[in-house]
Every structure is written in structure tokens, then in C-alpha cells.
Amino acid sequence: MQTLNVDLGDRSYPIYIGNNLLTQADLLRPHIVGKQVMIVSNTTVAPLYLAQLKATLGDQYQVAEVILPDGEQYKTLEYVNHIFDGLLKNRFNRTCTLIALGGGVIGDMTGFAASAYQRGVSFIQIPTTLLSQVDSSVGGKTGVNHPLGKNMIGAFWQPKAVLADTQVLKTLPERELAAGIAEVIKYGLICDPEFFQWLNINMPALLNQNDNTLAEAVYRSCLNKASVVAEDETETGVRATLNLGHTFGHAIETEQGYGKWLHGEAVATGMLMAAELSQREGWLSAEDVKAVRDILISANLPIVAPSDMSAQAFLQHMAVDKKVLDGSLRLVLLHKIGQAVITNQFNQDNLMKTLNSGVQLGQI
Amino acid sequence: MQTLNVDLGDRSYPIYIGNNLLTQADLLRPHIVGKQVMIVSNTTVAPLYLAQLKATLGDQYQVAEVILPDGEQYKTLEYVNHIFDGLLKNRFNRTCTLIALGGGVIGDMTGFAASAYQRGVSFIQIPTTLLSQVDSSVGGKTGVNHPLGKNMIGAFWQPKAVLADTQVLKTLPERELAAGIAEVIKYGLICDPEFFQWLNINMPALLNQNDNTLAEAVYRSCLNKASVVAEDETETGVRATLNLGHTFGHAIETEQGYGKWLHGEAVATGMLMAAELSQREGWLSAEDVKAVRDILISANLPIVAPSDMSAQAFLQHMAVDKKVLDGSLRLVLLHKIGQAVITNQFNQDNLMKTLNSGVQLGQI
């Protein structure tokens, strides 16, 4: 097992990464505040791991659970309210702990519920997807979607601890594993070129869910993210580079309706669009863009936006994206592989060509 | 005009107290972040003061507004969502400012919306009731009610500035003025015996809305509250003394349905119940309790719980009250006038007798 400390002053917390962590009471219990524990999970994950988690907790706590339907389309204020209902019906007080057992949606909703219940209680993350282990488990971004925009309502709220158990990834559908790998690739692209090369070599082992390869990919991803977050917790600067591919990706997700494309799939296509725009700006070479495309293909990820999605549809959704600062569109682009920049200095024609690339089947 | 600085490190902010502040652009504008301003008000206050506020803002901002129905029964997640709707429809970005123009309900909802919109934006309070000027404008508690408990969902989120304009109190209905005076009296009871005496003398002038008397009452109340909040921002200790009368009062409000009793009215009755329990515990004298009862009567405040509200109904609502810590009921009681204590050391029979005092018409 590896331990990574996310350094945020009095809000610092450890991420434990390894196999079969879900069975280890001595990892979990020291981070539980109070005697009341609410497990929040969904209808897919709960049948697989809820009993194990409860066994690990033992009988020294008042344990209750809220099981939500599975899917990004349920990441709403309405379903967060189900968590509040559960907490209040079970008379949870201010000294309690929520445990998120599930993917990014469950983590985001549970974290937001923890931030707002009685103006803030403790929570622990047990991410059960690769995407949530490498992304949402670090950084304290919590929240829900609104019909007019993704992640528009939420809070910065840090967990007390994160258990990233690579064993639970074994039950992950192939499509979700690939979606997680998209975010892993992202860290290589924005700040870690050696990791990008490592991923090129180790992609087959990663897809085969080799334990050590998975653990290393999770560790290296979290390390990169933790370093960025420690520098800029509330995203006033460098943290925004973590949104590589997300502005394009969010537009795809919103246009298609939440839940149709997986988040990681939309980010994969969005990252290639960012790379293509970066090439048009004269930063990336054709070989670099090919390398981005090839690694996404090798991870079984989509690389072309929906063919019926117009440039106009992209622009409409991007204009409300929260990465838009004071009305001027800022994008995360690549100066080179391993070096992301946040900029509003790009040619509008190049942007339009890139937005039309779905229609043009990904050719630039 | 008086200025009071609430000292909370990098979240410090000024409270301006005086007459006709709503017309003073130079007070307001320096605290506005960004170019987008969302005014949140209600159907009672907006017709009186919205036009004035917009005139003061001038035309250098993109100003939008959300007008909510008036009343505690609308202080829900559902109506906060109307604020999010307005922000997103008007394409507000992360660099924007919300202005709460209204009483405590509007302040609490606007503050919570500001805390959660895009994970946190700026807000300014312009409290238009005496209660909100002396209570909710200091301390950063924001939030909404849940059918199972008051203020159960929220955040600690500090405003950038508070404008407490005593001129707007002139349009306040008598019952709301009295409800505000209940919280003013509270500061005397918990920590400021000289202020309690001052109030005894100045109650007629206060009820007549004398400008200087109002301003002094607001200033002294905010000063007391700011001092307590600076010591304990997130209510882990002494801040809980500010809840004198609130545990009993919340039970009354919840039992009656939100909006039937005004918050300050319920707190007034709750404070007398706390005083009566304190007498039964041997701390307050009969004269002290009479002084509490008399000042509440002189302010036209109710001093008896609803006659049909049983001790059992009180207990049921108090058990979920967030002042219950780890299952043991803690109450704010009075060692003497001007000295509140938080304690779970009280005789259960004394509590039951006090809870039955409504049925017994306030006699102990």
C-alpha cells in the first residue's frame, strides 16, 4: 500500500492506494468523526461492496445508508436532498461522518451533502471507479449539476481520508475503465511527459487491470493532482489546467444529456480537440497530435464529437461553462505534451474549425 | 454613520450602520466583485427598495434580480434553486456578486446560494428588518430549512459587507419590529448586562423608531455578536450561547409550521423558558425572571408557548435540533442576567416543568 498526503494545511488528508483496502478497519476507523456513520452509495455499487464496508466498520457505530440510483443524470439538488432526508430521519447530529462508496457522482454528491448538512460535517471517500480514484478523490470539489450547466452548484469541501482500493476496479465495466484512463492520460498531457511515455508502454497492462500497474497509475495521477491542488485550492490559477478537455467535454455531455457519454469519454474527445486547436495555434506538431490520438485509441476511448453536434451547439454550452471568466472564453490548451496553459489568446477561426471537427470526422 | 469591522482574518468585513445608507454608492460599490450583480429580494421588500438600490448601483454593472415570495415557509432548497436558475439564465460567471435585499430569510438564502453557486461567489447583505440587522448580518451562517428541521442545510459563508440602513426599518410592521427587539434583548441577557439596563430605559424610544436609539441598538447588538463570532466562527464553543431561547423557539416554529410565529417571537418565548429553567436550577432569582418577562412584555413580545403544544411535542423537535451534541441535549441557560452558559447539566424534571409552562400559562 502507498500513502499520499494531500497538503492543505489544517484540511490535509491521506489517500491510501492499494489492494483490498476495503477490508482494513485500521485504515478507516481513525478517520471517522463521531459515532454516526452514513454510507452513501448507488444501486450498482451497493450490492457489490456495501456489506463488506459495513463488516469493516463493525458494530461500534450507528450505521445508516442512502442508496441512490446510478448515473450522472441523478447528480442533482433533488437527489442530494435524499441524503439530507436520510440524515434527518436517522437523527444524525453535527458530529457525524458520511462515507461516499461509489464513483465520481456519488463522491461529488456525498461531499456536497457533507459540506451543507448542518453547515458542514466530515466525510470519507471510497472511490470505486478508476476515474474517481484519480480525479474526484483529490481536491475537494463537490457538487451537482443544474439543467443549465454541469457542476454549477457545489462547495470546496475536503474529505478526512480517501481509500483507493484497486481490488474494486476488477468489477468495473470496460467502458468505465477506459473513461478513467482518459483522466490518467490527462495528467501526462498537462504536466508529466514521462508519465505520458510510461502510459504508452503500460497501456496493455493497465487495460488488463494488472494490480501494480493500476496502483502506479492511480498513485502518479493523484500525486500530480495533489501537487496542483496544493498550489491553488480554489482554482484561481494553475488548478484550471486540470480542466484540459473539460470545456469541450462538458459541452458534449450537456448537449447529449447527462449520462449518455461517460464523463471520461467526453473529456477524451475534448482533450483531442484541445490538442487540435493547439496544433492550429502552432504549438503542437502533427506528430504530437497523432500521439494524443493514438494513446486515446489504444485506451478504447472516443476521439470524435457526436456527428450531429454543431459548432453552434458547442459555443452555446461553452458560454455558460464556469471556466468562462468575465465573458471572455478561456481554454486549457497545450504548449507541448506535458505542458498545459490557460489562455484566451487563440484565433477564433481555429476554434471554429476545431468545433466543426466532429462533423469532419476528426480530420484537421 | 458607524462602521463595525467583523474580524475574521481574510474573511473580515465591515458593517455600516446609519440612516439612508441605501442611497450611498460609495459605500456599496467598493465591495462589489466583478461586473455582474444579482439582487435577491422578496415580493414585500422589492416594491419598496429595489428601484432605489438599482439607482444607487448605477449602470456600470449587468444587474439582474430574483424576487422570491415572502416568508420563512419559502426558505427551502427548492427556492434557493430559483436563485441558481436566475444566475444561470443570465449567464453569471464565477466573478459576480449577489446582494441580499430583505430580512433574515432572504439573507440566509442568498448567502447559501452565493456559497454554492459555482462553488462560491461574493455577496453583500442589505438587511431590511431589525432582526436581520442585529442577527443574521453578523457571522456568516447561511442556509435553508428542511421539513424535518430548521436551518439543517447551509454553509458558513461571510459577506463582503453589510449595510444596515435604519431608514428602511421605518416601513417595518410593528410585529416584525418587536421580533427584532427580541434578538436585541438576547445580547443583553447573554453577555451585556449594561445593555439590558439601557434597553429597559430606552424601550419606548426603540418602539417609536427613534433614529439614534435604533442605530445604537443595532450597533451594540452587532458589536456583541461580532465579538462572539470572532472568537468561535464555526460554533464549536462560545458561539452557541447566541442560541439562547432558540432550541425552545425552533421547536415552537417547527410545530406550528414555518411562518406562523415570527422567528423573534419564538425566540422571545424560548428565552423566557430558558430563564424559567435557569430559575428552577437555582441560578436566576424570581426577580431576574420577572425582569426578563417584563422587558419582553414591554416590547410587545409573546411570553407563552402555544397552549396546545405538549412537552412531548417540544422534546420531539428538540431531539433533532442541531444543538444536540452526540445524543445529549445541551441548552443555553443563564447563570445570571448577562451571563449565558451552555450545559447539559440540568434536572430533567425541571426541564419537563418548563416545557409544560405553555399549558400552565407561563406560571412556574
Side-chain angles (χ1 to χ4, degrees):
Chain A
M1 188 190 78
Q2 299 183 83
T3 303
L4 181 68
N5 198 52
V6 182
D7 185 13
L8 296 166
D10 59 3
R11 296 180 306 289
S12 298
Y13 62 91
I15 303 176
Y16 304 113
I17 302 162
N19 214 26
N20 277 320
L21 304 189
L22 199 55
T23 61
Q24 296 180 33
D26 54 330
L27 278 186
L28 190 57
R29 288 186 192 163
H31 300 287
I32 292 175
V33 175
K35 291 289 170 199
Q36 298 179 305
V37 177
M38 173 64 77
I39 303 170
V40 181
S41 192
N42 67 33
T43 48
T44 304
V45 175
L48 297 169
Y49 301 114
L50 179 61
Q52 175 61 67
L53 176 56
K54 288 169 101 167
T56 302
L57 283 168
D59 49 17
Q60 66 187 98
Y61 305 101
Q62 175 198 342
V63 179
E65 64 224 32
V66 170
I67 310 300
L68 300 172
D70 182 15
E72 178 92 20
Q73 64 269 43
Y74 304 106
K75 190 173 134 177
T76 62
L77 219 42
E78 182 192 346
Y79 279 91
V80 166
N81 206 26
H82 289 352
I83 305 177
F84 297 136
D85 290 343
L87 290 163
L88 285 161
K89 279 178 189 155
N90 288 285
R91 298 187 169 235
F92 272 48
N93 56 47
R94 280 179 72 183
T95 312
C96 68
T97 299
L98 276 62
I99 299 180
L101 177 69
V105 170
I106 289 294
D108 284 5
M109 294 173 79
T110 307
F112 183 46
S115 81
Y117 185 61
Q118 303 210 17
R119 301 197 186 92
V121 298
S122 300
F123 89 113
I124 291 170
Q125 296 233 43
I126 305 182
T128 58
T129 64
L130 180 58
L131 190 144
S132 58
Q133 290 190 357
V134 301
D135 181 26
S136 44
S137 65
V138 189
K141 279 192 179 179
T142 71
V144 294
N145 300 323
H146 185 282
L148 294 176
K150 222 174 118 69
N151 293 322
M152 282 292 144
I153 302 158
F156 286 98
W157 199 249
Q158 304 295 344
K160 295 294 177 198
V162 176
L163 270 68
D165 185 343
T166 51
Q167 181 62 31
V168 305
L169 302 181
K170 305 295 169 69
T171 51
L172 211 56
E174 278 181 22
R175 205 178 141 196
E176 293 219 27
L177 183 70
I181 293 174
E183 295 273 355
V184 173
I185 293 168
K186 185 188 76 178
Y187 295 107
L189 287 174
I190 61 173
C191 60
D192 194 345
E194 290 81 10
F195 186 42
F196 186 79
Q197 293 313 323
W198 183 91
L199 283 169
N200 267 316
I201 297 162
N202 289 279
M203 190 59 74
L206 203 51
L207 290 168
N208 279 330
Q209 307 191 359
N210 173 285
D211 277 331
N212 290 339
T213 312
L214 276 174
E216 182 62 21
V218 172
Y219 181 79
R220 191 92 170 237
S221 298
C222 290
L223 191 66
N224 276 308
K225 181 158 187 183
S227 149
V228 172
V229 168
E231 197 176 326
D232 176 23
E233 186 177 359
T234 57
E235 194 170 318
T236 53
V238 66
R239 181 164 179 172
T241 60
L242 295 174
N243 294 318
L244 176 68
H246 282 59
T247 302
F248 299 120
H250 282 179
I252 295 174
E253 286 180 276
T254 307
E255 174 74 11
Q256 298 294 303
Y258 296 136
K260 205 161 170 182
W261 279 54
L262 295 178
H263 175 68
E265 292 172 337
V267 166
T269 300
M271 289 194 298
L272 185 57
M273 292 174 76
E276 287 172 352
L277 178 50
S278 302
Q279 181 190 355
R280 290 190 171 95
E281 291 293 315
W283 296 331
L284 288 196
S285 68
E287 290 71 34
D288 289 334
V289 175
K290 182 174 183 305
V292 176
R293 187 184 290 111
D294 286 351
I295 199 168
L296 295 173
I297 291 171
S298 77
N300 305 318
L301 285 161
I303 55 164
V304 185
S307 60
D308 59 350
M309 186 165 170
S310 67
Q312 207 47 49
F314 267 105
L315 286 176
Q316 191 189 330
H317 295 301
M318 288 161 71
V320 79
D321 190 286
K322 67 183 168 307
K323 281 102 220 169
V324 180
L325 193 68
D326 273 336
S328 88
L329 180 62
R330 291 156 62 90
L331 290 172
V332 185
L333 298 179
L334 294 172
H335 264 176
K336 54 185 179 183
I337 287 180
Q339 189 186 327
V341 289
I342 309 154
T343 180
N344 59 1
Q345 301 296 310
F346 49 82
N347 182 291
Q348 289 295 317
D349 284 348
N350 287 342
L351 175 62
M352 292 309 292
K353 282 179 195 161
T354 305
L355 295 181
N356 279 310
S357 66
V359 183
Q360 299 161 28
L361 294 176
Q363 300 307 307
I364 94 167
Chain B
M1 188 191 76
Q2 298 184 84
T3 303
L4 180 67
N5 199 53
V6 182
D7 185 13
L8 295 167
D10 59 3
R11 295 180 306 289
S12 298
Y13 63 90
I15 304 176
Y16 305 113
I17 302 161
N19 214 26
N20 276 321
L21 304 189
L22 199 56
T23 60
Q24 295 180 34
D26 54 330
L27 279 185
L28 190 58
R29 289 187 192 163
H31 300 288
I32 292 175
V33 175
K35 290 289 170 200
Q36 297 179 305
V37 177
M38 173 64 75
I39 303 170
V40 181
S41 191
N42 67 32
T43 48
T44 305
V45 176
L48 296 170
Y49 301 114
L50 180 61
Q52 175 61 67
L53 176 55
K54 288 169 102 168
T56 303
L57 282 167
D59 48 18
Q60 66 187 96
Y61 304 102
Q62 175 197 343
V63 179
E65 64 225 32
V66 170
I67 310 301
L68 299 171
D70 183 15
E72 178 91 20
Q73 65 270 43
Y74 303 106
K75 190 173 135 177
T76 63
L77 219 43
E78 182 192 345
Y79 280 91
V80 166
N81 206 26
H82 290 351
I83 304 177
F84 297 136
D85 290 343
L87 290 163
L88 285 161
K89 279 178 190 154
N90 288 285
R91 299 188 167 236
F92 271 49
N93 56 47
R94 282 179 72 184
T95 312
C96 68
T97 299
L98 276 62
I99 299 180
L101 177 69
V105 170
I106 289 294
D108 284 6
M109 294 173 79
T110 307
F112 183 47
S115 81
Y117 185 61
Q118 303 209 18
R119 299 197 189 92
V121 298
S122 300
F123 89 113
I124 291 169
Q125 298 232 44
I126 305 182
T128 59
T129 64
L130 180 57
L131 190 144
S132 57
Q133 290 189 358
V134 301
D135 181 26
S136 45
S137 64
V138 190
K141 279 192 180 179
T142 72
V144 295
N145 300 324
H146 184 281
L148 294 176
K150 222 172 118 71
N151 293 323
M152 283 290 144
I153 302 157
F156 286 98
W157 198 248
Q158 304 296 343
K160 295 293 177 198
V162 176
L163 269 68
D165 185 344
T166 50
Q167 181 62 32
V168 304
L169 302 180
K170 304 296 169 68
T171 51
L172 210 57
E174 278 181 22
R175 204 178 142 196
E176 294 218 27
L177 183 70
I181 293 174
E183 295 272 357
V184 173
I185 293 168
K186 186 189 75 178
Y187 295 108
L189 287 174
I190 62 173
C191 60
D192 194 345
E194 291 81 10
F195 186 42
F196 186 79
Q197 293 313 324
W198 183 91
L199 283 169
N200 266 317
I201 297 162
N202 289 279
M203 191 59 74
L206 203 53
L207 290 168
N208 279 330
Q209 307 189 359
N210 173 284
D211 277 330
N212 291 338
T213 312
L214 275 174
E216 182 62 21
V218 172
Y219 181 79
R220 191 92 172 236
S221 297
C222 290
L223 191 66
N224 277 308
K225 180 158 187 182
S227 149
V228 172
V229 168
E231 198 177 324
D232 175 23
E233 186 176 0
T234 56
E235 193 170 319
T236 53
V238 65
R239 181 163 179 172
T241 60
L242 296 174
N243 295 318
L244 175 69
H246 282 59
T247 301
F248 299 119
H250 282 178
I252 295 173
E253 286 180 277
T254 307
E255 174 73 11
Q256 297 295 302
Y258 295 137
K260 205 161 170 184
W261 279 54
L262 295 179
H263 175 68
E265 292 172 338
V267 166
T269 299
M271 290 194 298
L272 184 58
M273 292 174 76
E276 288 172 352
L277 179 50
S278 302
Q279 181 190 355
R280 290 190 170 95
E281 291 294 315
W283 296 333
L284 289 196
S285 68
E287 291 71 34
D288 290 332
V289 175
K290 183 174 183 305
V292 176
R293 188 183 289 112
D294 287 351
I295 199 169
L296 295 174
I297 291 171
S298 77
N300 306 319
L301 284 161
I303 54 164
V304 185
S307 60
D308 58 351
M309 186 164 170
S310 67
Q312 206 48 49
F314 268 104
L315 286 176
Q316 192 188 329
H317 295 300
M318 288 161 71
V320 79
D321 190 285
K322 65 184 170 306
K323 281 102 220 170
V324 180
L325 193 68
D326 272 336
S328 88
L329 181 61
R330 292 156 62 90
L331 290 172
V332 185
L333 298 179
L334 294 171
H335 264 177
K336 54 185 179 182
I337 287 180
Q339 190 186 328
V341 288
I342 308 155
T343 181
N344 59 1
Q345 301 296 309
F346 49 82
N347 184 292
Q348 290 296 316
D349 284 349
N350 288 342
L351 174 62
M352 294 307 293
K353 282 179 193 159
T354 305
L355 295 181
N356 278 311
S357 65
V359 183
Q360 298 160 27
L361 293 175
Q363 301 308 306
I364 93 167

